[in-house]
Amino acid sequence: MVEEESDVNQHDKCSVEWTLDVIGGKWKGVIVFHLLEGKKRFNEFRRRIPGVTQRMLTLQLRELERDGVVHRKVYSEVPPRVEYSLTEFGQTLEPIIRNMKTWGDEYARRVAERQAEGQ
Amino acid sequence: MVEEESDVNQHDKCSVEWTLDVIGGKWKGVIVFHLLEGKKRFNEFRRRIPGVTQRMLTLQLRELERDGVVHRKVYSEVPPRVEYSLTEFGQTLEPIIRNMKTWGDEYARRVAERQAEGQ
DNA sequence: CAGAATCCAGAGGGATACTG
DNA sequence: CAGTATCCCTCTGGATTCTG
């Protein structure tokens, strides 16, 4: 009813935040990024994501699973095997993640440039 | 040289993370989103972002400023006036933020649907 | 108006050791 | 291999009060 200047309302605000709630975690973006190429196993992530600890990897994967982004398939074998993959819903994150990668590249380039300037 | 399966290397990984380092903060996405429409003043943010505290708003704005995303213009007046706007570099975040909004909408819709199912 | 300062709780996140 | 379990600490973030 009131139109004023508020073409941006509560709804708009929350939408952006929902997304950050889902992929804003320290390692979640990277995890999803790696899953874009296909399913991955637990230790594959550890190798591909230097710096992540077992604990954090587990926690972040569990949250992504809970949010319906990642699917976790357990094979009843010895030794155990678990495969992580993106759900259909998780796939819809692809544009965002790709954008984030592109932007991050540019950002890194920019930072490097600044340092090269001795500034 | 070695091509193996590693078309994804350290570099790819970091890029996604740089981006999250810059806009992964709890309120940063929303702040940038609002700035897409134009410059904003401190208390405008407070009105548009219910839930954010003065402290956090200040901190997140300062970080965005430090990272070259946001420009802070102070007018020497009484009462004081400060206007925040996106830098040129900050503008390049637009696609990501818009994507995040779209995805967040879909996510919210999905969550609402689940709850409606009583599940 | 646009914050700075202070205090405080809790979540996020790391290191290490252990397990089915 | 793919985790749990603990301990511990930092840093995020909220509430409140004060200021140029």
Side-chain angles (χ1 to χ4, degrees), chain B residues 26-27 53-56 60 80:
Chain B
K26 185 165 183 185
W27 307 99
T53 60
Q54 281 186 333
R55 186 178 121 86
M56 284 317 299
Q60 304 263 297

Side-chain angles (χ1 to χ4, degrees), chain A residues 1-114:
Chain A
M1 293 301 164
V2 204
E3 42 185 34
E4 304 189 290
E5 44 143 17
S6 85
D7 70 4
V8 172
N9 53 32
Q10 231 94 325
H11 248 86
D12 291 324
K13 175 226 135 198
C14 292
S15 307
V16 177
E17 282 199 70
W18 290 137
T19 306
L20 279 176
D21 283 350
V22 175
I23 56 164
K26 185 165 183 187
W27 307 100
K28 292 184 186 176
V30 201
I31 290 174
V32 173
F33 177 72
H34 286 300
L35 284 175
L36 289 178
E37 340 172 309
K39 51 181 75 161
K40 294 280 170 293
R41 296 180 61 177
F42 192 80
N43 280 345
E44 278 188 85
F45 284 122
R46 294 193 67 194
R47 263 175 276 124
R48 285 161 180 270
I49 311 179
V52 73
T53 58
Q54 280 187 332
R55 184 178 123 86
M56 285 316 300
L57 184 53
T58 303
L59 287 175
Q60 304 262 299
L61 282 168
R62 290 291 184 282
E63 288 186 21
L64 287 170
E65 192 188 352
R66 183 202 61 195
D67 291 335
V69 170
V70 160
H71 177 67
R72 180 169 177 266
K73 173 150 192 182
V74 184
Y75 294 85
S76 302
E77 307 174 354
V78 179
R81 180 158 63 109
V82 177
E83 279 176 356
Y84 293 92
S85 55
L86 288 177
T87 60
E88 267 189 48
F89 185 57
Q91 305 268 4
T92 66
L93 280 167
E94 177 155 6
I96 298 185
I97 299 293
R98 297 247 180 250
N99 269 342
M100 282 179 27
K101 169 158 166 36
T102 305
W103 196 88
D105 280 338
E106 182 60 17
Y107 180 75
R109 210 185 53 70
R110 203 161 166 283
V111 170
E113 219 167 56
R114 279 199 183 178

Side-chain angles (χ1 to χ4, degrees), chain B residues 33-75:
Chain B
F33 177 72
H34 286 300
L35 284 174
L36 289 179
E37 340 171 309
K39 52 181 74 161
K40 295 279 170 291
R41 297 180 61 178
F42 191 80
N43 279 344
E44 278 188 85
F45 284 121
R46 295 193 64 194
R47 264 175 275 123
R48 286 162 180 271
I49 312 179
V52 74
T53 60
Q54 281 186 333
R55 186 178 121 86
M56 284 317 299
L57 184 53
T58 304
L59 287 176
Q60 304 263 297
L61 281 168
R62 290 290 185 283
E63 288 187 19
L64 287 170
E65 192 188 352
R66 185 202 59 196
D67 291 336
V69 170
V70 159
H71 177 66
R72 179 168 178 267
K73 173 152 194 182
V74 183
Y75 293 85

Side-chain angles (χ1 to χ4, degrees), chain B:
Chain B
M1 294 301 165
V2 205
E3 42 186 33
E4 304 189 290
E5 44 144 16
S6 86
D7 70 4
V8 171
N9 54 31
Q10 231 93 326
H11 247 86
D12 291 324
K13 176 225 133 195
C14 292
S15 306
V16 176
E17 282 199 70
W18 291 135
T19 307
L20 279 177
D21 284 350
V22 175
I23 56 164
K26 185 165 183 185
W27 307 99
K28 292 183 185 175
V30 201
I31 290 173
V32 173
F33 177 72
H34 286 300
L35 284 174
L36 289 179
E37 340 171 309
K39 52 181 74 161
K40 295 279 170 291
R41 297 180 61 178
F42 191 80
N43 279 344
E44 278 188 85
F45 284 121
R46 295 193 64 194
R47 264 175 275 123
R48 286 162 180 271
I49 312 179
V52 74
T53 60
Q54 281 186 333
R55 186 178 121 86
M56 284 317 299
L57 184 53
T58 304
L59 287 176
Q60 304 263 297
L61 281 168
R62 290 290 185 283
E63 288 187 19
L64 287 170
E65 192 188 352
R66 185 202 59 196
D67 291 336
V69 170
V70 159
H71 177 66
R72 179 168 178 267
K73 173 152 194 182
V74 183
Y75 293 85
S76 301
E77 307 175 353
V78 179
R81 181 157 61 109
V82 178
E83 279 176 356
Y84 293 91
S85 56
L86 287 178
T87 60
E88 267 189 48
F89 184 58
Q91 306 268 5
T92 64
L93 279 167
E94 178 156 4
I96 298 185
I97 300 294
R98 297 244 181 254
N99 269 342
M100 282 179 28
K101 170 161 165 33
T102 305
W103 196 88
D105 281 337
E106 182 60 18
Y107 180 74
R109 211 184 55 67
R110 203 160 166 280
V111 169
E113 219 167 56
R114 279 200 184 177
Q115 294 185 332
E117 285 168 10
Q119 185 28 304

